[in-house]
Amino acid sequence: MKPSSAMGDGKVYDESTKVNATKGDVVLDGPDGVDLMMTPEAAERTAEELEKGAAAAAGQRRLAKYPHQPK
């Protein structure tokens, strides 16, 4: 799946999603009513993608402080 430049309603949340395991599924309970279930395999892949995305976003924030960086 290709990344989307605009996802959902465009809100940016500063609170994490709660994650639990129930009957062999992974249950996510997040802000603004986010509620979904995943297989353990899908949850592991999602965790990897979240980690990559978080690292990229943190790098973008750091680099934004330097005026010599292209916009």
Side-chain angles (χ1 to χ4, degrees):
M1 175 169 37
K2 292 184 180 178
S4 172
S5 59
M7 295 184 70
D9 57 13
K11 291 182 184 177
V12 177
Y13 298 97
D14 62 356
E15 56 187 281
S16 64
T17 296
K18 292 179 176 61
V19 181
N20 293 296
T22 303
K23 297 180 183 178
D25 292 321
V26 179
V27 181
L28 289 82
D29 181 16
D32 209 15
V34 170
D35 182 25
L36 58 106
M37 295 175 71
M38 296 181 171
T39 64
E41 296 80 14
E44 287 175 346
R45 289 190 303 272
T46 299
E48 291 168 1
E49 292 298 319
L50 280 167
E51 192 170 344
K52 285 191 271 184
Q60 291 168 354
R61 283 187 174 182
R62 280 192 293 275
L63 289 176
K65 297 176 185 176
Y66 297 100
H68 67 280
Q69 295 295 322
K71 294 184 180 183

